[in-house]
Amino acid sequence: RDLFGGGTAKLILTEEDLLDAGVMIIAKPPGKKNTNIQQLSGGEKALTALSIIFTIFKLKPSPFCLLDEVDAPLDDSNVLRYAKMIKKMANTIQFLFVTHNKLTMEMADQLIGITMQEPGVSRVVAVDVIDAVKLVESV
C-alpha cells in the first residue's frame, strides 16, 4: 500500500507442500480491476517487484541492498513514494542504487558518478551531499 498509495496485494502458495509450492502474486493497484500481470503498466510491475523485495528485507534484513535502475519505469509520483520507502528503510539497511532519475538522486546522502571529460578517459566523481549542503550554507 505504501508504494502504490493504496490498493491490495497477496502472496498465495500454489501447493500445500512447502517444498514444491510456487507463489502466486496478486497485486491490485488502487482503481484497477486487473486479472493478470500483463494488465499492469511497466511502473506497476516495477512497484510490485519492489514491494516483494522490500517485504523480504523487512522480514529478514540484510546489511545492504543493491538496486539497478528500478525507478526507470516509474513516474514522478511513484518515484517519490519509492524514495520515501528507501529513506524509511535506510535506518537499518544501506541502499546502493544505480539511477539516472533526478528525484531519486535528490534523496541520496552520497553520489558517485563517472564522467568522461576526454574521450576514452573515465573519471570517478564523488559528492557527499550532506557536506556539500553544509559548504553551500557556510558561504
Side-chain angles (χ1 to χ4, degrees), residues 2-3 47 50 54 67 70-71 74-90 95 97 101-108:
D2 292 343
L3 285 175
L47 286 177
L50 283 169
F54 290 157
L67 301 169
V70 298
D71 55 356
L74 304 179
D75 63 13
D76 287 351
S77 63
N78 286 328
V79 168
L80 292 174
R81 283 197 293 272
Y82 157 73
K84 183 178 174 184
M85 181 66 73
I86 293 279
K87 277 289 193 188
K88 183 174 156 183
M89 294 179 71
F95 285 94
F97 47 87
N101 189 299
K102 292 176 186 172
L103 293 173
T104 303
M105 285 186 229
E106 285 177 7
M107 64 108 176

Side-chain angles (χ1 to χ4, degrees), residues 22-37:
V23 177
M24 185 177 0
I25 302 166
I26 299 173
K28 293 185 180 181
K32 279 223 170 171
K33 302 273 188 220
N34 56 313
T35 57
N36 66 47
I37 197 161

Side-chain angles (χ1 to χ4, degrees), residues 15-26:
E15 304 280 334
E16 290 291 324
D17 182 8
L18 294 178
L19 296 177
D20 292 328
V23 177
M24 185 177 0
I25 302 166
I26 299 173

